[in-house]
Amino acid sequence: MSYNAFAEFYDGLTGNVEYKDRAEYIEKLIKSFGREAGTTLDLACGTGSLTLELYRRGFDIFGVDASIDMLSEAQQKCSEDEQILFICQKMQRLNLASEIDTCICTLDSINHLTNSKDVKETFKRVAKYLSEGGLFIFDVNTLYKHREVLCDNCFVFDTDEVFCSWQNELDKETDIVNITLDFFIPDENGLYFRETEEFSERAYSDEDLTQWLSEAGLKILAIYDDMSFDEPKPESERKIFVAVNKIGRAV
């Protein structure tokens, strides 16, 4: 999907993400394993909010996303002095010119890959470009969140710019949540026009993700509850995975 309307309103609808706090957490997370970030890839960077926060903290960082609309929003956020490279590529088709030392992939981007083959290929691509000992940090929405929180629920967001209806439909056999977003956008006359976008997210078990990482040459170092250094709970809605590249690969 192109994320035309979603890209335009994404930042307004995700104001609760607290990107500065998340950037600080990622920096602490990397240092907790005795490493420096080095050259860092923000994979599936979206509108670049986290990319920019990390850049402002001194990270040598660039972003990759499959949506040109999201990347357009990201580029517009950067000042003339903030020269961040943004590349339009799918995660499972990642193709870089050189090695990276750290890869982050946040805010349930892996869940957007609803085919396990794409998840496996993404892990292989990340491992291909990670330096030996490089870290891969990503988060996922949990099975609990898909089954108990998102499931067949509807959510409403009302901002100054848009009214958004978020409707979910859970496929219990696959743990795929099919999502429909209806954006009601006011014009200068106070009338509203509607845009609809649809996409899906899939939740995966820790066991599957760990196995696929291992097959790609990546070793799990830790799994944390979101934005913490605590073990996940049964009702955790998001988990942080930290993996290391066991074998350096020539690009």
Side-chain angles (χ1 to χ4, degrees):
M1 63 176 291
S2 62
Y3 294 105
N4 291 325
F6 199 18
E8 181 180 355
F9 301 113
Y10 182 84
D11 290 332
L13 296 172
T14 58
N16 63 335
V17 170
E18 299 177 332
Y19 289 103
K20 289 184 178 180
D21 292 343
R22 195 163 292 271
E24 181 180 2
Y25 170 73
I26 288 173
E27 186 173 25
K28 289 180 178 178
L29 187 58
I30 294 169
K31 290 181 178 179
S32 74
F33 288 96
R35 289 170 169 80
E36 296 295 328
T39 302
T40 303
L41 166 62
D42 186 0
L43 185 61
C45 64
T47 61
S49 294
L50 184 58
T51 322
L52 194 54
E53 288 295 341
L54 289 168
Y55 175 87
R56 290 170 177 169
R57 299 182 77 89
F59 276 58
D60 176 14
I61 193 168
F62 65 103
V64 167
D65 198 273
S67 168
I68 193 65
D69 298 294
M70 290 287 194
L71 294 179
S72 177
E73 295 289 330
Q75 196 67 64
Q76 292 177 51
K77 291 179 185 177
C78 299
S79 69
E80 291 183 2
D81 297 328
E82 295 169 331
Q83 299 298 317
I84 301 176
L85 175 66
F86 291 105
I87 304 170
C88 189
Q89 290 181 356
K90 292 183 177 181
M91 288 185 281
Q92 64 270 37
R93 296 291 180 266
L94 184 66
N95 186 14
L96 304 178
S98 59
E99 261 188 357
I100 54 175
D101 301 302
T102 304
C103 179
I104 63 172
C105 185
T106 62
L107 301 177
D108 56 270
S109 295
I110 294 296
N111 297 104
H112 283 258
L113 301 173
T114 57
N115 187 319
S116 60
K117 292 182 180 179
D118 287 334
V119 180
K120 294 176 185 179
E121 185 61 28
T122 296
F123 289 170
K124 290 177 182 177
R125 294 275 175 159
V126 169
K128 176 179 179 180
Y129 295 105
L130 264 183
S131 59
E132 184 175 0
L135 295 182
F136 179 31
I137 299 170
F138 67 94
D139 66 45
V140 288
N141 282 341
T142 62
L143 289 166
Y144 170 83
K145 183 174 183 178
H146 275 231
R147 294 169 180 174
E148 304 296 334
V149 180
L150 297 178
C151 48
D152 296 309
N153 287 326
C154 178
F155 305 93
V156 172
F157 302 88
D158 190 3
T159 72
D160 293 337
E161 296 179 325
V162 67
F163 180 91
C164 175
S165 170
W166 181 307
Q167 300 179 72
N168 298 323
E169 182 180 356
L170 174 66
D171 184 330
K172 295 181 180 179
E173 292 186 3
T174 62
D175 288 304
I176 291 176
V177 173
N178 298 305
I179 300 168
T180 301
L181 300 179
D182 287 310
F183 299 94
F184 297 89
I185 307 164
D187 63 17
E188 64 276 7
N189 299 314
L191 301 175
Y192 286 78
F193 66 95
R194 174 181 174 181
E195 289 193 23
T196 299
E197 293 186 0
E198 297 178 340
F199 59 95
S200 301
E201 293 193 19
R202 184 175 182 179
Y204 297 97
S205 69
D206 292 359
E207 292 76 17
D208 282 343
L209 292 171
T210 300
Q211 178 182 335
W212 300 338
L213 287 166
S214 179
E215 290 172 356
L218 298 164
K219 178 184 177 182
I220 289 284
L221 296 179
I223 304 175
Y224 296 125
D225 203 355
D226 190 30
M227 294 283 284
S228 78
F229 293 89
D230 300 329
E231 291 186 5
K233 306 174 184 64
E235 66 276 13
S236 292
E237 296 184 20
R238 177 179 284 139
K239 295 180 181 179
I240 306 287
F241 283 70
V242 184
V244 63
N245 190 16
K246 297 183 292 183
I247 304 172
R249 283 168 165 73
V251 175

